[in-house]
Amino acid sequence: MYLQNEINSIPPLNPLPRIEERSVSIRDYVDLLIEGRKTILLALVSVLLVATVYLMLAPRTYKADALLRIDKNKALLAAPLRSEANQAPSEAESPRAQREVEILRSRSVLGKVVENLNLTVEASPRYFPIIGETLARKHDAHDGLASPWWGFGRWAWGGEKLKVDTFTVPDRYLGKEFTLIALEAGRFQLLGPKDEPLAEGPVGESVTAEIGESAPVAVKIAELEARPGTHFKLTRKTSLEAIETLQKAFSVKEVSKDTDILSVELKGKDPEQLAKSVNDIAAIYVNATVNWESAEAGQKLAFLESQLPIVKDRLEKAEQGLSVYRQKHGAVDISAEAEILLKQAAEMETLGIQLKQKYDEQSQRLESAHPDMVATNAQIKRVNSKLSKLEKRIKDLPRTQQSVVSLSRDVQVNTELYTSLLNSAQEQRIAAAGSLGNSRIVDFAVTPEKPYWPRPGMLLAIAGLLGLTGGSAMVFLRHSLQRHDNYPALLEYQVGLPLYAAIPHSKKQQRLARLIDQGKVREPGILASQDPQDISVESLRGLRTTLEATLASNESKVIMVSSPAPGMGKSFVSTNLAALLASIKKRVLIIDADMRNGRLHDAFSVDRQPGLSDLLAGRATLGEVIVSLPEVGVDFIPKGSTVLNPAELLVIGNLEETIEQLKSFYNHVVIDSPPILGATDPAILGKYADATFLVVKEGRYTAQELEVSFKRFQQVGIKPNGFIINNMKEGSSYSPYYGYAYGSQIDTEEKSLSAKIPGYQAVEDWFKRNEEPEVLSSLTMDDEQA
């Protein structure tokens, strides 16, 4: 008996050198993306499919735009005052584009557009759900009305037209949806929100219906083109709701900074209605600015004309007073100093009167706390202060000269003021007659030909980028959630177990496993028999070669295959390893020792009982439980009847005697044991094994699991020989550990040699018939090592 812990057990491999954990490289990420290419492709196709469906079904949105130019004010207010305060333009004299944007979006402008274009009424055909509007959009209106599908005549399918002149409803029904049905002979029927008939009448005439409210429902259809029975939706909204809807679809922005060029844009579904709405908005805004400036000029003119008679009367009185004084006292000469004081005082008094007039004019439009009002009032105070100083100097002159200076100043001031008022009044008359406003329409809106949204190119590009990004994120997320260590050599160092084989993923084995689960396999579903050239089988051949080299000194060999947890692929490894050992003329027996959940009988297409449990319980003999499988070349002992205490059965049964009997007849006994972390069975079976291997599956193991499994075996005096990584994905960063499959290249070379060398096939057949198993084994081992 060859026990695991005896001297003649399998010699361990050379001690592993210390390996530093490698850093993650770009190649690792590229390999991971290549491995998950199906997931990425599926995500890409899914997102592109959703985007394509959206492109087909999404309603088309059009955009109409116009350009407006905002000019500076053209000094239409009052005549320039001759003071330093007049040099700085006020806010009203230099309007900026941003202020005009808010005016364009105001309810005063958009409300007139809603009223002019009757936007409070919404009328549209009822399309077939989901695809109806798309089909109607593809129909050419020049071909007339589209024929309905499958007799659905109530839906619109393309070419329908409805134009509503008026539609009024009581306030309680505002926002409610009415239904209009096209009838024959140019007539229609109106249904209420609850589909109750309200009225019926011809197109072009006003139709009313009493519904028990203070006001009736009134509708007038200007144009109706549809098949009889076609339904339309008809809704009346409040003016405020229509204005808010228009504001949401309406946008104004300055084309570029400090250009005072505004772009007016409106988005919607009806291209003709959009162009009309934008042009109407621009025209109403320009007319409003003209009216505002004309009204302002008229208001200023009225104020000036009201001041002219007053100033004229003052001028006449001043001239008369000066004339009377000169006649009474004779000609009085004015000295140079008095003349200078007269001129300065006249200018200050004229400026003060003009500022008072400006203050009175501003008070009609502005509050007293307005900055313009405050600035004007401050100017008036400064002028009055200077005038007071001049009057004090005039009082120092002789009495005669004082009187002459005072009378002359009144005449001069009133003369200049009267002349200024006349000029300003004339300017305001011209401004009121020819005012054009401070806005111009540069480009009128035209009916858009192509929809603004959706944009196929941009949408598909975004969808493609989103699909690639989402698919890559799914791959990385799935990779991060998997339980694995990224570097097998590091895992060898951490656990202290050598890696014996790295078995790549096999699509053929995946299909075989699915068929076995479905019960559709009628012959042994062993990959080594079904497809000997599979890359996974080639990796197992490398394991077989290693075992032949390390177990060459033993007369009989018992190999146990276990795993830390279920689903790692230990049964796949044990069955195919047994088949490969049998292919080199070895007598091989495989035992399904998982008496709880063993399923090797399904893979070999045999009955599960009698089997190992029956043998250990004494209900069957060894000859009764061994099943010969000539298709695979191995003998098989199934798990047998289900038992509740398989561990106790392994202890009290004649397991050691049974193993000795089997070793005397078979070259290799392969035991497929349960997972070590889920049962104690492997610890019992491992005492009679010459070699023990742990199978782990890529993405489902950690170093901690292997360490715990290793300790479980050590606790009973068993040292596992190594571990095997199963189901490694193509493109994985483990690719250096893959077995090298010669595959079809060997078949091609053998066929070529058979054809070119006479007697090659006969020699090969002779070797197969006459070579001893030991010689053939060594030949095969040397070939695989080479």
Side-chain angles (χ1 to χ4, degrees):
M1 179 177 63
Y2 299 92
L3 299 181
Q4 181 96 26
N5 52 358
E6 289 185 356
I7 298 176
N8 56 356
S9 60
I10 299 176
L13 299 182
N14 294 330
L16 296 172
R18 182 176 182 85
I19 299 175
E20 298 295 334
E21 185 173 0
R22 67 170 185 174
S23 60
V24 179
S25 65
I26 297 178
R27 174 61 186 273
D28 295 328
Y29 292 118
V30 174
D31 290 341
L32 184 61
L33 292 176
I34 294 175
E35 179 184 346
R37 60 187 180 274
K38 291 184 179 179
T39 301
I40 298 174
L41 181 61
L42 180 61
L44 176 62
V45 172
S46 301
V47 175
L48 288 178
L49 181 61
V50 172
T52 304
V53 173
Y54 174 78
L55 285 174
M56 294 175 59
L57 301 181
R60 296 315 187 242
T61 301
Y62 295 85
K63 181 179 72 173
D65 56 359
L67 286 180
L68 295 178
R69 176 185 173 185
I70 309 300
D71 295 329
K72 307 291 183 182
N73 265 359
K74 295 171 283 297
L76 300 179
L77 303 180
L81 300 176
R82 290 186 296 273
S83 71
E84 65 276 6
N86 185 51
Q87 302 304 317
S90 64
E91 182 184 1
E93 293 172 338
S94 58
R96 303 305 300 167
Q98 188 58 37
R99 186 169 61 248
E100 305 304 316
V101 168
E102 300 303 324
I103 296 175
L104 277 164
R105 294 180 56 84
S106 65
R107 289 193 295 269
S108 61
V109 174
L110 298 183
K112 292 182 180 179
V113 177
V114 170
E115 182 180 354
N116 294 344
L117 300 180
N118 197 23
L119 298 182
T120 56
V121 179
E122 288 186 353
S124 61
R126 290 185 184 272
Y127 295 107
F128 190 80
I130 302 177
I131 63 172
E133 187 173 355
T134 302
L135 297 175
R137 185 170 57 246
K138 293 184 177 181
H139 177 74
D140 191 352
H142 296 89
D143 296 336
L145 298 173
S147 300
W149 283 22
W150 307 303
F152 292 105
R154 61 173 297 182
W155 309 101
W157 296 93
E160 293 80 10
K161 294 181 181 179
L162 175 64
K163 184 178 180 181
V164 182
D165 268 357
T166 59
F167 180 54
T168 58
V169 297
D171 292 343
R172 191 163 67 92
Y173 289 89
L174 290 173
K176 299 292 182 64
E177 188 176 290
F178 290 75
T179 301
L180 187 142
I181 305 176
L183 303 177
E184 296 180 352
R187 297 178 64 83
F188 67 89
Q189 183 184 19
L190 183 66
L191 305 181
K194 298 180 180 180
D195 292 337
E196 69 276 14
L198 296 181
E200 182 179 333
V203 175
E205 297 183 8
S206 181
V207 178
T208 60
E210 296 291 341
I211 56 175
E213 298 289 336
S214 58
V217 175
V219 60
K220 181 179 180 181
I221 306 300
E223 183 181 0
L224 177 61
E225 184 176 347
R227 290 174 287 96
T230 305
H231 287 53
F232 293 84
K233 295 183 292 184
L234 202 59
T235 306
R236 172 70 185 227
K237 301 188 296 184
T238 62
S239 297
L240 182 59
E241 186 179 357
I243 292 173
E244 291 176 350
T245 302
L246 188 59
Q247 284 177 334
K248 292 178 181 178
F250 177 64
S251 62
V252 186
K253 60 182 179 181
E254 194 172 5
V255 175
S256 58
K257 189 176 181 180
D258 297 332
T259 58
D260 291 334
I261 302 294
L262 299 182
S263 175
V264 182
E265 298 179 352
L266 186 63
K267 299 174 185 177
K269 296 181 180 180
D270 190 347
E272 295 182 359
Q273 184 75 16
L274 289 175
K276 292 179 182 179
S277 300
V278 172
N279 289 331
D280 207 16
I281 291 172
I284 289 174
Y285 166 73
V286 171
N287 292 336
T289 57
V290 172
N291 294 336
W292 291 336
E293 292 194 359
S294 298
E296 188 175 7
Q299 184 179 8
K300 297 178 186 299
L301 179 61
F303 175 77
L304 292 174
E305 289 180 344
S306 67
Q307 296 294 319
L308 280 173
I310 299 174
V311 177
K312 183 179 181 181
D313 184 60
R314 290 177 183 173
L315 176 60
E316 291 175 351
K317 289 181 179 180
E319 289 177 345
Q320 185 179 0
L322 179 61
S323 178
V324 171
Y325 185 82
R326 286 183 180 275
Q327 291 176 0
K328 181 177 180 180
H329 299 280
V332 178
D333 293 333
I334 303 177
S335 63
E337 181 183 1
E339 187 175 357
I340 293 173
L341 292 175
L342 173 63
K343 183 177 180 181
Q344 292 178 350
E347 289 179 353
M348 287 296 103
E349 190 169 356
T350 301
L351 181 58
I353 294 173
Q354 289 177 343
L355 288 174
K356 289 180 181 179
Q357 290 177 348
K358 181 179 178 181
Y359 186 84
D360 293 339
E361 187 272 331
Q362 288 177 341
S363 64
Q364 299 179 9
R365 300 181 292 107
L366 307 174
E367 298 291 338
S368 59
H370 194 275
D372 288 349
M373 295 284 288
V374 174
T376 304
N377 194 22
Q379 292 174 359
I380 292 174
K381 290 180 179 180
R382 288 195 297 270
V383 170
N384 290 338
S385 176
K386 292 182 180 180
L387 188 59
S388 299
K389 294 178 181 179
L390 290 173
E391 288 179 349
K392 288 181 180 180
R393 295 178 61 184
I394 291 173
K395 288 180 180 180
D396 295 338
L397 296 174
R399 178 175 294 276
T400 304
Q401 289 188 2
Q402 288 182 22
S403 300
V404 173
V405 169
S406 178
L407 293 173
S408 299
R409 183 184 67 183
D410 291 341
V411 172
Q412 185 176 353
V413 168
N414 287 295
T415 300
E416 291 182 0
L417 187 59
Y418 184 69
T419 303
S420 176
L421 288 175
L422 285 176
N423 292 335
S424 297
Q426 186 62 29
E427 289 176 357
Q428 294 300 327
R429 291 189 187 97
I430 296 173
S435 178
L436 295 177
N438 66 338
S439 303
R440 304 285 187 277
I441 299 178
V442 179
D443 282 336
F444 286 92
V446 297
T447 302
E449 298 179 355
K450 296 181 179 180
Y452 168 77
W453 184 262
R455 301 178 184 177
M458 183 182 71
L459 192 61
L460 290 176
I462 294 176
L465 182 61
L466 183 62
L468 292 174
T469 304
S472 302
M474 291 173 61
V475 170
F476 285 112
L477 178 62
R478 183 180 62 188
H479 179 73
S480 64
L481 294 177
Q482 286 178 342
R483 303 168 61 197
H484 57 80
D485 292 301
N486 290 325
Y487 195 19
L490 178 62
L491 186 63
E492 289 179 299
Y493 170 73
Q494 291 176 340
V495 180
L497 289 177
L499 175 65
Y500 266 71
I503 304 173
H505 173 75
S506 173
K507 296 180 180 179
K508 182 67 176 294
Q509 174 60 29
Q510 188 176 7
R511 290 193 294 267
L512 279 174
R514 186 165 54 248
L515 293 175
I516 292 173
D517 292 338
Q518 296 172 357
K520 297 181 179 180
V521 176
R522 296 293 180 266
E523 57 183 10
I526 307 302
L527 183 63
S529 300
Q530 298 285 341
D531 188 2
Q533 304 302 330
D534 190 89
I535 188 173
S536 299
V537 178
E538 191 63 36
S539 298
L540 287 170
R541 284 195 180 96
L543 175 61
R544 181 192 65 184
T545 302
T546 304
L547 291 178
E548 285 295 302
T550 56
L551 298 178
S553 62
N554 293 341
E555 298 178 358
S556 183
K557 302 92 181 178
V558 178
I559 304 170
M560 187 179 74
V561 181
S562 184
S563 63
M568 297 291 185
K570 60 179 179 58
S571 298
F572 164 75
V573 173
S574 59
T575 54
N576 285 274
L577 177 61
L580 290 174
L581 289 171
S583 66
I584 56 174
K585 303 300 182 181
K586 298 290 186 179
R587 295 187 300 274
V588 180
L589 172 71
I590 179 170
I591 302 175
D592 188 357
D594 189 354
M595 291 180 281
R596 291 177 176 85
N597 300 310
R599 296 191 58 191
L600 292 189
H601 57 278
D602 292 332
F604 288 118
S605 298
V606 298
D607 294 333
R608 72 174 185 178
Q609 55 185 350
L612 181 62
S613 62
D614 302 290
L615 176 64
L616 296 177
R619 294 190 297 268
T621 62
L622 189 60
E624 293 174 343
V625 298
I626 295 178
V627 180
S628 179
L629 301 172
E631 300 89 345
V632 186
V634 301
D635 290 343
F636 170 56
I637 297 180
K639 72 172 187 176
S641 305
T642 303
V643 293
L644 300 177
N645 54 347
E648 288 78 0
L649 194 60
L650 289 173
V651 174
I652 64 176
N654 296 324
L655 179 61
E656 181 178 356
E657 181 181 350
T658 302
I659 295 295
E660 286 298 325
Q661 293 180 13
L662 296 174
K663 288 168 62 176
S664 63
F665 182 76
Y666 292 99
N667 299 112
H668 293 289
V669 176
V670 179
I671 301 176
D672 182 20
S673 75
I676 181 61
L677 296 182
T680 60
D681 302 9
I684 301 172
L685 292 167
K687 297 178 180 180
Y688 309 103
D690 299 308
T692 299
F693 296 98
L694 288 170
V695 178
V696 293
K697 186 176 182 180
E698 181 189 5
R700 291 193 57 187
Y701 69 89
T702 62
Q704 290 77 12
E705 286 181 337
L706 280 177
E707 288 177 349
V708 173
S709 301
F710 181 58
K711 290 179 181 179
R712 288 281 180 90
F713 280 114
Q714 279 188 324
Q715 289 172 357
V716 294
I718 301 172
K719 182 179 180 181
N721 297 81
F723 68 98
I724 300 168
I725 298 180
N726 183 36
N727 199 42
M728 293 174 59
K729 301 297 188 299
E730 182 181 356
S732 168
S733 58
Y734 304 152
S735 54
Y737 296 88
Y738 277 1
Y740 187 88
Y742 294 94
S744 58
Q745 181 181 355
I746 295 178
D747 296 339
T748 304
E749 292 177 354
E750 288 183 352
K751 292 179 181 179
S752 177
L753 288 173
S754 300
K756 293 181 179 179
I757 302 177
Y760 176 84
Q761 186 63 40
V763 173
E764 184 184 34
D765 295 340
W766 183 88
F767 269 103
K768 289 182 178 180
R769 290 193 305 268
N770 296 280
E771 286 295 325
E772 293 295 330
E774 291 78 5
V775 177
L776 183 59
S777 173
S778 60
L779 288 174
T780 307
M781 179 182 65
D782 293 339
D783 177 66
E784 289 182 355
Q785 288 175 340

